[in-house]
C-alpha cells in the first residue's frame, strides 16, 4: 500500500512539473518571430504568424535634399508598425533610430536595439538581421530603404 501511494505521489509530482508554467523563461522566445520562408525584400513575406511584411506597407517621408537630411520610414513588423528615423550627411547614413513599441520583448526588441547601429556602420541596409527576429529585422531594413527613396 505504501509503495502504491509513493508511486502515485511521484506520478503526480512529475505531471505537475511537466505542466507547470516556467516563470524563468525569456518572454517572447519560441517560433512566433521566425520567418519560416527566410525571404527578404518586397516579396510579401509571411512569418509563422501569417502577418504580412511586404514592402507595400512601407511609407517614406523625406526632410529635404541638403546635407544633414532627416528622413523617416515605416514598415510593418511582427507586432505592428516599425518607424525609423535616418540621418544623412550627404549620401552617408550617419545614424538610424528605430521604434517598434509592439514588437516582442526579448526578440523583436533586440532587433530594434541592435540593427540600426549595424545599418549606420555599414552605411547600407545590406546587413545581416538579428537571429530569431527576422520579421522585425526585415521591417527595419525596409523602412530605412523606403525613407532613403525620398532622397533619390
Amino acid at each position: 500500500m505504501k509503495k502504491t501511494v509513493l508511486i502515485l505521489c511521484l506520478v503526480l509530482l512529475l505531471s505537475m512539473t511537466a505542466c507547470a508554467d516556467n516563470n524563468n523563461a525569456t518572454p517572447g522566445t519560441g517560433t512566433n518571430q521566425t520567418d519560416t520562408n527566410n525571404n527578404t525584400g518586397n516579396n510579401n513575406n509571411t512569418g509563422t504568424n501569417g502577418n504580412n511584411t511586404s514592402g507595400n506597407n512601407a511609407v517614406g517621408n523625406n526632410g529635404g535634399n541638403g546635407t544633414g537630411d532627416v528622413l523617416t520610414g515605416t514598415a510593418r513588423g511582427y507586432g505592428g508598425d516599425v518607424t525609423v528615423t535616418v540621418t544623412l550627411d550627404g549620401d552617408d547614413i550617419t545614424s538610424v533610430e528605430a521604434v517598434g513599441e509592439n514588437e516582442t520583448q526579448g526578440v523583436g526588441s533586440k532587433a530594434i536595439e541592435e540593427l540600426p547601429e549595424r545599418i549606420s556602420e555599414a552605411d547600407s541596409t545590406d546587413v545581416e538581421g538579428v537571429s530569431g527576429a527576422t520579421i522585425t529585422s526585415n521591417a527595419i531594413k525596409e523602412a530605412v530603404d523606403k525613407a532613403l527613396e525620398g532622397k533619390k
Side-chain angles (χ1 to χ4, degrees):
M1 177 78 170
K2 288 183 181 181
K3 286 184 180 181
T4 305
V5 171
L6 183 59
I7 291 173
L8 287 174
C9 288
L10 286 174
V11 169
L12 180 61
L13 180 63
L14 286 174
S15 58
M16 286 177 36
T17 303
C19 295
D21 183 16
N22 186 357
N23 291 329
N24 294 328
T26 303
T29 58
T31 60
N32 64 344
Q33 184 68 26
T34 303
D35 177 3
T36 58
N37 299 323
N38 291 324
N39 293 328
T40 59
N42 298 339
N43 52 6
N44 294 330
N45 299 349
T46 56
T48 56
N49 66 340
N51 284 346
N52 181 2
T53 60
S54 72
N56 297 333
N57 292 330
V59 179
N61 179 19
N62 75 3
N65 293 322
T67 301
D69 286 339
V70 177
L71 311 171
T72 59
T74 301
R76 177 90 176 142
Y78 181 79
D81 285 344
V82 175
T83 301
V84 298
T85 303
V86 182
T87 305
L88 302 175
D89 183 8
D91 289 332
D92 296 326
I93 299 173
T94 57
S95 74
V96 177
E97 296 176 18
V99 177
E101 296 168 354
N102 295 320
E103 297 305 297
T104 307
Q105 289 300 312
V107 183
S109 63
K110 188 174 179 185
I112 298 275
E113 294 168 12
E114 295 178 11
L115 201 56
E117 185 176 339
R118 292 183 194 176
I119 293 170
S120 295
E121 289 175 1
D123 193 24
S124 169
T125 56
D126 189 21
V127 295
E128 188 171 323
V130 175
S131 179
T134 304
I135 295 172
T136 304
S137 296
N138 288 344
I140 293 168
K141 292 190 248 183
E142 183 181 319
V144 170
D145 286 338
K146 202 65 173 175
L148 294 175
E149 284 180 12
K151 178 74 175 161
K152 294 178 184 177

